[in-house]
Amino acid sequence: MFLTDPALRRIAADTNDVLPEPLWRHDTATPDPVGDIARLLHRTAREFTDSTTALDAALTRVDALTSRSRRGLAARADLHVAGYHQTLTDALTARERHLVLGAMLITTYRAWRHHRPALDTDNERYLLLYRGDPANGVATLRRREQDTWQVQPDSNAASAFDVPYPNRVVGEVTDTAQGWTPTAYIGPLHQPTPPGMTYPLPVVGDLAAACRALLRWWHLRHSDTWRNRTPDQLTSGELTHLTS
């Protein structure tokens, strides 16, 4: 599963770059300006991760305080909760520090990224299924032919789209003159499209939408509303949802 590290998740949300690991750490031993940036980025990312943990703990204490306050208000129509000033102050302080570190993380990352413009390989790339929203998961794309990529959702994506295929190929997408053409199938990596059980889907305008169409098709395919239909037998509303 991608983006379990808070720093990588924040970078993906702000820049749409999906990193499988903190790639800048490979530059931290470099004795040049790129190495200086990488070392600063590495320290900032670690501090941001620690800050995420601290802010979560502070907000958890606020949540517990709020629950106790509401219970007391319901029981006595009054509010007497010990330590609420300090609890709220701690949460606000943790939030301010987190905001500063977040801004510094993204600024430093962009500076490092300027010197490392190509993060994807020629045969593999990673894509947020919704731009700026890591919560809906990541698709790994592996090149099968020049303009065709097999699509494999991570466990977050499979859960978000409610399909039973985490970390499995759910089809492929092809870049054509008309747009991105998705073709749904379940098959092994780096193998030709299997005969039968292959579903050509409508052309869409961008790569992420094509990947979403594959997942939405499999969600429909496993639902009670499928009724043994093919994509060209779907209603106009279903097709609109499929390609949105």
Side-chain angles (χ1 to χ4, degrees):
M1 186 167 61
F2 288 86
L3 307 180
T4 56
D5 179 84
L8 297 183
R9 194 160 57 248
R10 176 61 181 272
I11 288 169
D14 279 37
T15 70
N16 217 44
D17 289 346
V18 177
L19 278 62
E21 59 168 329
L23 296 178
W24 55 80
R25 65 186 178 86
H26 300 297
D27 290 330
T28 55
T30 305
D32 60 17
V34 176
D36 292 339
I37 295 172
R39 286 186 287 275
L40 176 60
L41 176 56
H42 191 62
R43 288 195 299 271
T44 305
R46 293 180 63 178
E47 290 178 8
F48 181 82
T49 296
D50 292 342
S51 173
T52 302
T53 301
L55 180 56
D56 182 69
L59 292 176
T60 298
R61 291 191 292 272
V62 170
D63 184 56
L65 173 70
T66 302
S67 296
R68 291 198 306 272
S69 300
R70 294 186 64 198
R71 288 196 298 270
L73 190 63
R76 301 182 299 275
D78 199 359
L79 184 62
H80 293 289
V81 181
Y84 74 91
H85 285 295
Q86 190 61 51
T87 300
L88 296 177
T89 299
D90 290 346
L92 290 173
T93 301
R95 175 183 176 274
E96 290 302 318
R97 183 171 189 274
H98 197 68
L99 290 175
V100 171
L101 284 171
M104 185 176 178
L105 173 71
I106 298 305
T107 299
T108 312
Y109 173 76
R110 291 187 190 278
W112 173 80
R113 185 75 162 82
H114 177 73
H115 298 280
R116 293 289 180 264
L119 297 181
D120 296 321
T121 68
D122 289 338
N123 296 311
E124 185 169 287
R125 57 197 296 190
Y126 310 106
L127 180 73
L128 287 182
L129 287 163
Y130 283 96
R131 185 175 184 84
D133 186 4
N136 284 284
V138 173
T140 297
L141 282 68
R142 294 186 173 90
R143 191 188 297 275
R144 191 170 75 82
E145 297 176 356
Q146 178 59 35
D147 296 314
T148 298
W149 302 75
Q150 289 187 315
V151 178
Q152 179 177 310
D154 71 350
S155 56
N156 271 354
S159 177
F161 286 82
D162 192 21
V163 296
Y165 301 123
N167 304 308
R168 287 188 62 185
V169 172
V170 294
E172 64 188 34
V173 292
T174 302
D175 191 9
T176 68
Q178 292 74 36
W180 285 91
T181 301
T183 303
Y185 60 83
I186 302 298
L189 285 173
H190 311 303
Q191 297 296 318
T193 304
M197 297 297 289
T198 299
Y199 305 94
L201 303 178
V203 177
V204 295
D206 65 81
L207 177 57
C211 295
R212 294 195 299 268
L214 294 175
L215 292 169
R216 287 186 175 132
W217 166 255
W218 288 116
H219 173 75
L220 176 63
R221 173 68 174 74
H222 288 280
S223 72
D224 294 336
T225 59
W226 175 48
R227 300 190 298 277
N228 293 314
R229 292 177 295 164
T230 59
D232 58 5
Q233 294 173 318
L234 301 182
T235 67
S236 58
E238 288 171 327
L239 286 174
T240 298
H241 175 68
L242 194 71
T243 57
S244 62

